[in-house]
Amino acid sequence: MTTSLTRTKTIPVTINDRAAAIASPKVRLRRNRIVIDHADPGAGEQLLAEALGAADRDALHGLLSQLVKASAVARKPDQSNLSFMVSMLKSIAPKDSLEAMLAAQMVGIQVAAMRCACRLACTDDVPQQESLTRALTRLSRTFASMMEALNRHRSNGACAITVQNLSVQDGGKAVVGHFTQHASLIAAQPGLADAVPA
């Protein structure tokens, strides 16, 4: 028995800001052109640019053009892949152009990794399996390093420091609890009292 996948209406899993989710337009491919599906083309471009972190119209269309190329299946742009990629890019919510480019690369790496995984599952040729396994491993590592880069960029390079062991000498004071230190900020977990050794 062969079954085919049918596309049903896309329903967001969770929506924090319902108005933003409704207002953000979809992207469609029509006759090898990118069309932003919105009643007002200018407003649609602006809403999509904000959702994707694009600084201006040129950045938006450049980013969309790259996503269209990355969505290709059998050398033809694929609407389903493009919709997935734009949706994932929106969910990453890039705040600036650097985040937008990094997020677009992350989405492209994800698509390529899943293509690799599919090919790996469908081949019995051992050399091809080894080649695909190496490619999948590299893509997965690249994705993880991109996530770290995005997190570093969003936290302005601040690193969290965790102290697991603390020694207090006679006459010293210590505070018991969980602390987080970022750059020049130290914050204690609320509700914990100072502990003074006897």
Side-chain angles (χ1 to χ4, degrees), residues 15 22 25 28 32 37 40 52 90 110 116 130-131 142 154 156 176-177 184:
I15 299 177
I22 292 170
R28 306 265 184 242
N32 295 329
D37 195 9
D40 178 5
L52 301 183
K90 286 178 186 178
Q110 166 66 16
C116 243
E130 290 173 355
S131 174
T142 302
R154 286 184 172 175
N156 295 322
V176 178
S184 62

Side-chain angles (χ1 to χ4, degrees), residues 64-114:
L64 290 175
S65 175
Q66 291 172 347
L67 291 174
V68 167
K69 290 174 185 173
S71 76
V73 173
R75 298 185 181 180
K76 291 184 178 179
D78 183 74
Q79 178 65 56
S80 179
N81 276 346
L82 179 62
S83 296
F84 166 76
M85 295 172 86
V86 170
S87 178
M88 290 296 100
L89 195 56
K90 286 178 186 178
S91 71
I92 294 171
K95 307 285 187 271
D96 57 32
S97 295
L98 287 175
E99 286 189 16
M101 290 185 291
L102 189 55
Q105 288 177 23
M106 290 170 66
V107 169
I109 291 290
Q110 166 66 16
V111 169
M114 291 299 97

Side-chain angles (χ1 to χ4, degrees), residues 24-72:
S24 182
K26 303 264 186 221
V27 176
R28 306 265 184 242
L29 291 172
R30 291 202 185 118
R31 296 184 190 138
N32 295 329
R33 285 186 46 231
I34 301 167
V35 177
I36 298 171
D37 195 9
H38 195 272
D40 178 5
E45 278 187 343
Q46 181 64 34
L47 288 169
L48 193 58
E50 289 171 8
L52 301 183
D56 56 29
R57 187 175 192 272
D58 292 335
L60 173 66
H61 285 281
L63 191 63
L64 290 175
S65 175
Q66 291 172 347
L67 291 174
V68 167
K69 290 174 185 173
S71 76

Side-chain angles (χ1 to χ4, degrees), residues 116-185:
C116 243
C118 179
R119 289 182 185 141
L120 179 59
C122 295
T123 187
D124 292 328
D125 182 30
V126 174
Q128 193 173 20
Q129 286 176 341
E130 290 173 355
S131 174
L132 288 167
T133 300
R134 281 192 303 274
L136 185 56
T137 301
R138 288 178 181 153
L139 289 167
S140 299
R141 287 180 181 160
T142 302
F143 185 84
S145 68
M146 289 177 150
M147 281 186 54
E148 289 175 19
L150 181 61
N151 287 334
R152 272 194 313 272
H153 177 74
R154 286 184 172 175
S155 67
N156 295 322
C159 296
I161 300 170
T162 303
V163 178
Q164 293 181 346
N165 295 318
L166 179 64
S167 174
V168 180
Q169 302 297 324
D170 288 340
K173 291 184 178 183
V175 179
V176 178
H178 297 283
F179 293 86
T180 304
Q181 179 176 352
H182 295 282
S184 62
L185 173 69

